[in-house]
Amino acid sequence: MGRAREMDETLAEFIRRTIFKIPMATMMTVLETWGFLSESQLQSLNFKQRKESLVHNLLLLCEENHASINDVALLDIVYIQVHRHQKMWNVFHMSKGPDEDVDIFDMEEFKSLFKKILHRALKNVTVSFRDAQENAVWIRIAWGTQHKKPNQYQPTYVVYHSQTPFAFASSSRLKSTVPLLGQALTVASKHHQIVQMDLRSRHLDSLKAIVFKQFNQTFENHNSTTPLQERSLGVDINMDSRIIHENTIEKERVRRVTQETFGVCPQPQLEFAQYKLETKFKGDLYGGILAKREEPLRCLIKFSSPHLLEALKSLAPAGIADAPLSPLLTCIPNKAMNYFKIRDK
């Protein structure tokens, strides 16, 4: 009896902590999407009371419905789906062998294989699945060890779109779990190998747009029928006409180059781009200390912005940078990278 009571207390604490982290503004949305409570149970809740009281009442309803660990794990998945920007997401790319054919994909078989591989390697691991739109499945993995029960408070979240070579996983402190996660994804999705891409962001939808090539960088010459002199250029009417003409031509060139580079649609949202440089010092005619240094010079350059690609797109039109920008900055979406290593050739 004591062992059963301990499990109940563990589950109750898991329920409390999971509900407590859901903001009141999205509480009803998350609970409705979860679908575990009946409509009458949801209507019985008072969302204007203190959160502690609401959590207590929800706990009673969960006990009434005999909630399991998996039920609460599904609630946690729904919470993360709504608040996905709270996680840093990594992208994994899988590939098949040169002679491997494309297999018919079965989602239930994928789930079974994925769970089986993890359970073979780890005695204690909790795996939960929740189907989503666009043939995607959300996976929640609570990792344990051979001797410790799964830690429900530091799980890994994975999003896999069926019949694609890409998976998205939340960053985890447990780096030792990455190879096992990669193995489970590769085998379950019937691929041959997997690599982690140099692409990370809190904006999961933008990562998807980049790797699935759902963003538009195609040049479209909007307003091409409007003569240049009819467009508002914001120049002083008393300015020399030759200067006005030069400004007109230059502004039009910058607009065209920017549009050719970035397209006309909103850019995928990334928060940073990081460049690691390794180079040897050159040009010291007098043989100074740096010229004799055998080890390369290393430095790290990081560009940060709430919306980095839109910020880069605005630089040349604002007169802050020349057009076109360096390919190292403009290639981010097409190369599907925001981590770069640059070495001397």
Side-chain angles (χ1 to χ4, degrees):
M1 292 295 292
R3 187 176 182 83
R5 187 164 54 251
E6 179 185 346
M7 284 297 295
D8 289 341
E9 291 168 1
T10 301
L11 178 57
E13 179 63 15
F14 183 27
I15 294 171
R16 275 193 293 266
R17 290 176 63 170
T18 302
I19 297 174
F20 253 117
K21 67 183 181 181
I22 305 172
M24 290 298 290
T26 59
M27 181 72 76
M28 189 61 173
T29 300
V30 171
L31 292 176
E32 286 179 335
T33 306
W34 182 30
F36 181 72
L37 303 177
S38 68
E39 187 175 344
S40 60
Q41 287 176 323
L42 287 174
Q43 290 176 350
S44 71
L45 296 169
N46 179 9
F47 289 91
K48 295 182 179 179
Q49 63 184 332
R50 293 182 59 187
K51 194 169 188 178
E52 290 81 358
S53 301
L54 177 62
V55 170
H56 176 71
N57 292 333
L58 281 167
L59 178 59
L60 294 177
L61 292 176
C62 288
E63 290 176 346
E64 180 182 320
N65 289 6
H66 306 289
S68 65
I69 288 284
N70 189 64
D71 292 323
V72 188
L74 291 176
L75 173 61
D76 188 44
I77 291 177
V78 174
Y79 163 73
I80 292 296
Q81 287 177 317
V82 175
H83 300 279
R84 60 188 68 181
H85 298 340
Q86 293 184 359
K87 296 294 180 182
M88 181 65 71
W89 297 93
N90 301 297
V91 186
F92 292 85
H93 181 240
M94 295 173 285
S95 59
K96 292 182 178 289
D99 299 323
E100 289 184 282
D101 296 327
V102 177
D103 297 303
I104 297 175
F105 184 84
D106 181 88
M107 182 61 80
E108 295 308 312
E109 183 183 1
F110 169 86
K111 294 176 183 177
S112 176
L113 278 172
F114 187 92
K115 186 179 287 189
K116 188 180 295 183
I117 290 164
L118 293 186
H119 279 293
R120 281 177 181 170
L122 286 176
K123 179 181 178 182
N124 294 305
V125 61
T126 302
V127 185
S128 303
F129 302 94
R130 188 171 192 275
D131 294 333
Q133 296 177 343
E134 299 177 339
N135 297 318
V137 59
W138 284 65
I139 311 169
R140 182 186 187 273
I141 309 159
W143 303 96
T145 66
Q146 300 298 344
H147 308 290
K148 291 184 179 180
K149 293 177 181 178
N151 184 347
Q152 299 295 341
Y153 306 109
Q154 291 184 345
T156 299
Y157 304 91
V158 180
V159 184
Y160 174 64
H161 287 254
S162 64
Q163 295 180 298
T164 76
F166 297 103
F168 309 85
S170 62
S171 294
S172 172
R173 297 177 183 177
L174 303 173
K175 303 301 181 187
S176 60
T177 63
V178 174
L180 182 55
L181 173 60
Q183 180 186 356
L185 282 169
T186 305
V187 175
S189 63
K190 299 181 180 178
H191 283 86
H192 181 68
Q193 61 181 7
I194 187 170
V195 294
Q196 183 171 340
M197 298 175 64
D198 294 318
L199 180 65
R200 296 173 67 198
S201 175
R202 293 188 180 277
H203 296 275
L204 178 60
D205 292 338
S206 290
L207 293 177
K208 292 180 183 180
I210 289 173
V211 299
F212 295 144
K213 303 297 182 185
Q214 294 171 338
F215 62 96
N216 177 21
Q217 285 195 312
T218 304
F219 173 59
E220 297 178 18
N221 191 5
H222 281 243
N223 301 320
S224 59
T225 58
T226 307
L228 288 177
Q229 60 267 28
E230 293 181 12
R231 301 182 194 170
S232 175
L233 298 174
V235 296
D236 187 348
I237 59 174
N238 297 317
M239 190 180 293
D240 189 305
S241 61
R242 290 169 297 180
I243 297 177
I244 294 176
H245 180 67
E246 289 179 5
N247 282 344
T248 300
I249 294 174
E250 177 59 17
K251 285 193 175 185
E252 175 60 19
R253 185 192 71 83
V254 169
R255 184 201 65 80
R256 176 178 53 79
V257 170
T258 300
Q259 195 164 291
E260 286 175 345
T261 303
F262 291 97
V264 295
C265 293
Q267 298 298 297
Q269 191 165 355
L270 301 175
E271 312 91 85
F272 60 87
Q274 183 172 296
Y275 300 82
K276 286 186 177 181
L277 309 181
E278 286 190 11
T279 183
K280 292 196 173 182
F281 188 80
K282 299 174 183 177
D284 191 343
L285 301 176
Y286 302 101
I289 297 175
L290 292 177
K292 297 178 181 178
R293 178 187 172 98
E294 294 184 2
E295 285 291 314
L297 297 172
R298 298 181 177 89
C299 68
L300 178 67
I301 300 173
K302 188 173 183 178
F303 295 88
S304 300
S305 170
H307 202 326
L308 178 65
L309 296 179
E310 284 292 344
L312 293 174
K313 183 178 178 179
S314 67
L315 289 178
I320 299 173
D322 293 332
L325 297 178
S326 166
L328 286 172
L329 297 174
T330 60
C331 74
I332 293 171
N334 281 323
K335 284 187 174 290
M337 296 173 63
N338 62 347
Y339 280 79
F340 295 86
K341 291 181 180 179
I342 304 171
R343 296 183 174 92
D344 286 336
K345 293 183 179 179

